[in-house]
Amino acid sequence: MSDLPILIAGGGIGGLAAACGLARKGRRSIVVEQAAKLGEIGAGIQIGPNAFHCFDYLGVGDEAREKAVYIDALRLMDAQTAEDITSIPLDQPFRDVFGNPYAVVHRADLHGVLLKYCEDSPLVDIRTSHVVEGYEQDGSSVTLKVKDRDPIRGALLIGAEGLRSPIRQQMVGDGEPRISGHTTYRSVIPTEQMPEDLRWNAATLWAGPKCHIVHYPLKGWKVFNLVVTYHRDVQEAISGRPVSKEEVAQGFEHIHPKARQIIEHGSDWKLWVLCDREPISNWVDGRVALLGDAAHPMLQYFAQGACMAMEDAVALSHCLEHHGEDIANALQIYQEMRKVRTARVQMNSRLIGEYIYHPDDAKAAVRNHVMRGMSPQDWYRQLSWIYGSTGLDDSGVRAAAE
Ligand SMILES: Cc1cc2nc3c(=O)[nH]c(=O)nc-3n(C[C@H](O)[C@H](O)[C@H](O)COP(=O)(O)OP(=O)(O)OC[C@H]3O[C@@H](n4cnc5c(N)ncnc54)[C@H](O)[C@@H]3O)c2cc1C
């Protein structure tokens, strides 16, 4: 491969994970980020065993493990009756099956672990306040166009600038993302503020008609992450707008008081309108490839967007290590490794939203009936393609990590 650096547009979880993976393989990269300071908003994310396989490959396993809270279960409650529907135990048998735990972590902590690795590495050059606009390429290099700055030349370019990636727009040209109409409100509160009878060591989902509530502990149990979602058919994409408690509570009158009280206890609520895109089968153009949300943005319902971005980073590093003498070919192999798995997660995220998170009436009764009958072993089988060795073998990630 040429001596030119690898260019990475976007310094989110995906872009930084790619820089870590490439540095581990001895590759130099420049991360180009529009923000003046790198960081993530103050909220939590769930990370499946597949993300832990990636942490180890990316060289941040111990640091990431240290920041995580190891919850006991994924608990699904009926938000109308406050009855348990099902619970997936995340105990030792789960870890034995999937080779790693399931956990929750503060976004800023996870991003911080990746950032520290990059900052400590002489192979990663991070340039903030750089707004990416597009690219040009010839047979031997690619040039990144940056607003009001000199262009940057590299051996290849990774577009990791998220849902509204300019690199994707130039390559794929599929316009604005699809607005789901689902509004999500997020709040992080001190644990003392969380109702005592709900301080469960679980990622808990209260599922109700057209709405749901999620909560779990973070930061060594110092805070609780609250997420409240309502399908309000909003047609405007909104990101991080502060909203009042009263606005969050609208439409939750039919929800059991035990679940509804969570809205009362939240503070500093912020609103997002969720967006995704249709899966596509080509996100590579010569020496340019997409990664993370730029390639396959999804609704949050499978809790896998960041996990998929990290898997992409592993697969990309693996392909460049083994096929880097022909970059265009290496990127095609990367895409082949990733496209079915990531499209499957995109599609499943929508289905889960419709049939598990938000169904009403007879559909909710079917959900409760089917899920109440499931044993831990049934769950392991259902989830093995995403969390387990067989699922990861499909993408080559587990194989690459070993
Ligand atoms: C409510 C919610 C809950 C979620 N929960 C989970 C979960 O539990 N588990 C999970 O795995 N995932 C979850 N996700 C998904 C996850 O947050 C995303 O999939 C993940 O952050 C994508 O990372 P990324 O690096 O690809 O993109 P982003 O995080 O969007 O990062 C893109 C970066 O590029 C920068 N950028 C953008 N445009 C430009 C430009 N023109 N020039 C330069 N830089 C630019 C941005 O500033 C940003 O730093 C959730 C998402 C939401 C909305």
Side-chain angles (χ1 to χ4, degrees), residues 208-255:
K210 291 188 96 175
C211 67
H212 71 270
I213 298 174
V214 171
H215 52 83
Y216 49 81
L218 281 178
K219 283 198 168 283
W221 270 79
K222 289 194 189 69
V223 296
F224 259 78
N225 189 57
L226 311 180
V227 186
V228 170
T229 302
Y230 202 101
H231 190 168
R232 297 194 197 279
D233 293 314
V234 174
Q235 285 313 309
E236 181 195 357
I238 300 170
S239 179
R241 188 175 82 197
V243 286
S244 68
K245 210 173 268 186
E246 292 67 38
E247 183 175 336
V248 180
Q250 271 170 32
F252 280 84
E253 296 78 16
H254 61 311
I255 293 306

Side-chain angles (χ1 to χ4, degrees), residues 102-136:
Y102 191 104
V104 289
V105 67
H106 198 284
R107 272 168 186 278
D109 287 346
L110 173 54
H111 187 264
V113 163
L114 298 167
L115 181 58
K116 174 148 192 343
Y117 185 97
C118 292
E119 285 176 340
D120 289 348
S121 169
L123 294 172
V124 185
D125 172 1
I126 299 178
R127 301 189 187 173
T128 51
S129 304
H130 279 56
V131 180
V132 166
E133 292 188 323
Y135 63 89
E136 282 170 3

Side-chain angles (χ1 to χ4, degrees), residues 162-308:
L163 183 67
R164 291 191 169 74
S165 154
I167 307 290
R168 179 181 175 120
Q169 277 326 304
Q170 180 174 340
M171 182 193 294
V172 182
D174 56 354
E176 286 297 305
R178 185 190 75 108
I179 300 173
S180 69
H182 301 198
T183 45
T184 275
Y185 308 92
R186 294 199 262 188
S187 168
V188 177
I189 57 168
T191 297
E192 313 83 76
Q193 228 168 290
M194 185 71 181
E196 256 181 81
D197 59 341
L198 294 178
R199 287 184 205 165
W200 300 333
N201 191 30
T204 306
L205 164 65
W206 299 81
K210 291 188 96 175
C211 67
H212 71 270
I213 298 174
V214 171
H215 52 83
Y216 49 81
L218 281 178
K219 283 198 168 283
W221 270 79
K222 289 194 189 69
V223 296
F224 259 78
N225 189 57
L226 311 180
V227 186
V228 170
T229 302
Y230 202 101
H231 190 168
R232 297 194 197 279
D233 293 314
V234 174
Q235 285 313 309
E236 181 195 357
I238 300 170
S239 179
R241 188 175 82 197
V243 286
S244 68
K245 210 173 268 186
E246 292 67 38
E247 183 175 336
V248 180
Q250 271 170 32
F252 280 84
E253 296 78 16
H254 61 311
I255 293 306
H256 194 280
K258 189 168 178 179
R260 204 171 55 217
Q261 64 173 326
I262 294 162
I263 299 175
E264 263 317 298
H265 289 270
S267 50
D268 298 325
W269 288 102
K270 293 201 176 60
L271 155 67
W272 280 258
V273 175
L274 302 176
C275 297
D276 67 358
R277 292 183 186 274
E278 292 301 323
I280 51 170
S281 56
N282 185 25
W283 21 281
V284 169
D285 169 21
R287 292 173 169 263
V288 184
L290 303 178
L291 179 147
D293 276 8
H296 38 68
M298 55 190 70
L299 300 180
Q300 80 227 31
Y301 301 141
F302 214 154
Q304 277 288 324
C307 300
M308 286 297 115

